[in-house]
Amino acid sequence: MKNRPTAPKQARTVSLVLGSGGARGLAHIGVIQWLEQHGYSIRSIAGSSMGALVGGIYAAGQLETYGSWVRALSKRDVMQLLDFAFSLSGIFSGERIMQTLRAMLGEVQIEDLPIAFTAVATDLDNGREVWLNRGPLFDAIRASMAIPTVFTPVVYEGRVLVDGGLLNPIPIAPTLSDITDITIAVSLSGKPQPLDARERRDAPEESARNSSYQAAIRDFIDSIQRHLRRRSTRLREPDNMLDVMSRSLESMQNAIGRLKLAAYNPDYLVEIPSNACTLFEFYRATEMIELGHARAEQELGMAA
């Protein structure tokens, strides 16, 4: 980061960079809420994966609607939003999630947004990052969120696209030409917090198991959560392919993220602990939003 400038009162326009990290990305909502409460004007957003989702919805003026909806999600609701793809390229298709968001928020073109917006994805064929800043908003978001092996890739304008976090988990570069006062980046791969400093407040399990389909999704998600939680408590040998994949992917993204931050040096960096929650714990939305708000206050409070 730069030498933490003391932002003058008139320095209120922001280029906001929102990083990738699954359900931890709900903390982006809290950061945005803090910025709005303290008089900052967000003029530009670049996001990868979950950062693209939250950033795009905010740019469309629908963050309050989305925030209310996601706060009400239970663990069972999250499972019902996941639809098996029955494909070798990914476990889930992601279409049910996108259809739900389109129905709730409406379809919009990126060019028509009142805030400049870029979703970052990865082009599998060329091995390059792709900046999506035109066309249907939710198509761009879906491409940016296509976590390899978890969600199927997206064919978009003739290119096969997957999660932007693979090559650029904190996409600062798309904001470099912005004419704004400061650049604020939000990383979801911050230093893990002590386990006794966080509460594991999982939503109560629903007793009803209404289909083998839902049971299969539940078992899959639960297996991911167990592996990721054990990973944060002690060093150990990887015990299956899923564990190896998730640990390798996160290690790679963390390393790339550090390089991006060193290369582009935002004015401010808000960091969310990497063990705040796991990939699919969207039912912990209230907790994550509050964490994002608190971390924004911690990092940016002196400049407000």
Side-chain angles (χ1 to χ4, degrees), residues 24 231 245-255 274:
R24 291 194 302 278
R231 184 191 63 199
M245 180 197 72
S246 62
R247 292 171 68 178
S248 300
L249 183 61
E250 187 159 340
S251 296
M252 180 185 71
Q253 289 185 337
N254 289 350
S274 60

Side-chain angles (χ1 to χ4, degrees), residues 14-15 24 29 34 51 66 75 100 112 117 122 130 146 158 189 203 205 217 223 237 247 276 291:
V14 174
S15 294
R24 291 194 302 278
I29 299 175
W34 187 95
Y66 174 75
K75 189 172 184 178
T100 300
D112 297 332
F117 173 74
T122 298
V130 177
S189 301
E205 285 283 353
I217 291 180
S223 71
E237 293 294 320
R247 292 171 68 178
L291 176 60

Side-chain angles (χ1 to χ4, degrees), residues 106-129:
E107 188 59 271
V108 63
Q109 296 292 114
I110 296 175
E111 305 95 298
D112 297 332
L113 296 174
I115 296 172
F117 173 74
T118 301
V120 176
T122 298
D123 185 330
L124 273 185
D125 293 330
N126 296 320
R128 296 178 180 177
E129 65 181 86

Side-chain angles (χ1 to χ4, degrees), residues 12-16 40-45 58-59 113-117 178-182:
R12 294 293 187 179
T13 58
V14 174
S15 294
L16 184 61
Y40 289 91
S41 176
I42 300 170
R43 300 288 180 83
S44 168
I45 298 175
Y58 174 76
L113 296 174
I115 296 172
F117 173 74
D178 292 346
I179 303 174
T180 54
D181 296 315
I182 55 176

Side-chain angles (χ1 to χ4, degrees), residues 252-270:
M252 180 185 71
Q253 289 185 337
N254 289 350
I256 294 173
R258 288 192 293 270
L259 289 173
K260 296 292 185 181
L261 288 170
Y264 294 113
N265 207 9
D267 296 297
Y268 293 93
L269 174 65
V270 177

Side-chain angles (χ1 to χ4, degrees), residues 29-196:
I29 299 175
V31 174
I32 291 172
Q33 289 175 344
W34 187 95
L35 290 171
E36 287 196 318
Q37 290 165 5
H38 289 82
Y40 289 91
S41 176
I42 300 170
R43 300 288 180 83
S44 168
I45 298 175
S48 276
S49 198
M50 191 62 186
L53 174 64
V54 173
I57 290 174
Y58 174 76
Q62 298 287 348
L63 191 62
E64 184 175 352
T65 300
Y66 174 75
S68 298
W69 173 75
V70 77
R71 282 177 183 270
L73 289 178
S74 67
K75 189 172 184 178
R76 186 179 182 184
D77 292 332
V78 173
M79 294 173 187
Q80 289 175 334
L81 286 169
L82 297 172
D83 44 355
F84 279 124
F86 302 104
S87 167
L88 294 177
S89 63
I91 299 168
F92 303 116
S93 74
E95 289 308 307
R96 186 173 299 164
I97 297 172
M98 290 297 109
Q99 289 172 5
T100 300
L101 292 175
R102 284 188 175 98
M104 177 172 54
L105 306 173
E107 188 59 271
V108 63
Q109 296 292 114
I110 296 175
E111 305 95 298
D112 297 332
L113 296 174
I115 296 172
F117 173 74
T118 301
V120 176
T122 298
D123 185 330
L124 273 185
D125 293 330
N126 296 320
R128 296 178 180 177
E129 65 181 86
V130 177
W131 297 356
L132 304 174
N133 49 27
R134 59 186 176 84
L137 174 63
F138 286 109
D139 287 355
I141 290 172
R142 172 65 179 87
S144 185
M145 294 182 64
I147 302 170
T149 73
V150 177
F151 291 109
T152 55
V154 172
V155 178
Y156 186 84
E157 297 185 348
R159 295 174 291 192
V160 180
L161 304 181
V162 295
D163 195 300
L166 285 181
L167 295 181
N168 201 346
I170 310 175
I172 299 169
T175 70
L176 293 180
S177 62
D178 292 346
I179 303 174
T180 54
D181 296 315
I182 55 176
T183 299
I184 298 172
V186 184
S187 168
L188 304 180
S189 301
K191 182 179 178 181
Q193 59 187 359
L195 291 178
D196 58 2

